[in-house]
Amino acid sequence: MAAKESLKQKAYHDIKEKIIRCEYAPGAMLNEEALREELHVSRTPIRDALSRLEQEGLISILPKKGIEVSGLSINDINLIFEVRLLYEPYALLKYGSKIKDEVIYKFFDTFSSPAHTFSEEEYYFLDDAFHVAIVGAIQNPYLLKTYDWIHNQNLRFRVMTGQFVDLRLEMTNKEHLSIVTACLKHDWELAAKEMEMHLMASKSATFDLVLDKKSTKIHHKK
């Protein structure tokens, strides 16, 4: 039984990781048989993984057509940030006191360093870990489950857009430091306000990057 569960988890994790990293691009069609061969597992773990991923909104299983990786649109940016703007400031305001001081100090030390001291990939990881730590303080499993769905989609957008450019990277670092500084003071109202401003700036930057990429593609086609 444990071996079967392990294979199911492996299939689920491997496919999910490839979707989030856009190795399976938005809108791509997947084939169950090809997945079995690629991941070296039987039909049952693959089908179990696909069922879970469909529930998480990462794929759609289309009768007589196949398995489609869920698309991402400009409207999805609005939807993702709408949820993040509801959840993340609320997490600080309502549950900020649940975040351990040593966690806050760790992020303070991290974001006190200039952003350019990290590689882009390292900063992706740090940024994600920071936001996950804040939302992780929420002690409501229903909210956490919904946020996990949004979190997966947000990670895909980052991979697609290459979200951090040098200027935005430094600004993001400063915004993170402002949030953490408010947390160290246990001023959760200020921390929530700083988080809201940070997310609004991130939303604007994401729109700019997506629209710029679209404009560049149109220009090249001409």
Side-chain angles (χ1 to χ4, degrees), residues 9-29:
Q9 276 298 113
K10 181 183 184 304
Y12 166 75
H13 179 270
D14 288 353
I15 298 171
K16 182 175 181 177
E17 189 71 12
K18 288 176 181 291
I19 292 172
I20 287 174
R21 290 184 173 274
C22 293
E23 291 177 38
Y24 299 152
M29 298 300 295

Side-chain angles (χ1 to χ4, degrees), residues 56-111:
E56 293 176 14
L58 291 174
I59 63 167
S60 295
I61 299 174
L62 308 174
K64 299 182 181 180
K65 290 186 178 181
I67 304 144
E68 183 179 24
V69 178
S70 298
L72 288 171
S73 67
I74 289 178
N75 186 51
D76 287 315
I77 299 174
N78 264 325
L79 298 177
I80 288 168
F81 276 99
E82 182 178 1
V83 175
R84 293 188 69 191
L85 281 160
L86 287 171
Y87 273 49
E88 296 185 37
Y90 175 77
L92 287 166
L93 197 59
K94 182 75 174 179
Y95 296 99
S97 60
K98 304 293 183 184
I99 305 172
K100 293 181 179 179
D101 282 346
E102 55 262 36
V103 173
I104 299 172
Y105 276 112
K106 181 181 176 182
F107 283 118
F108 180 80
D109 289 341
T110 297
F111 298 131

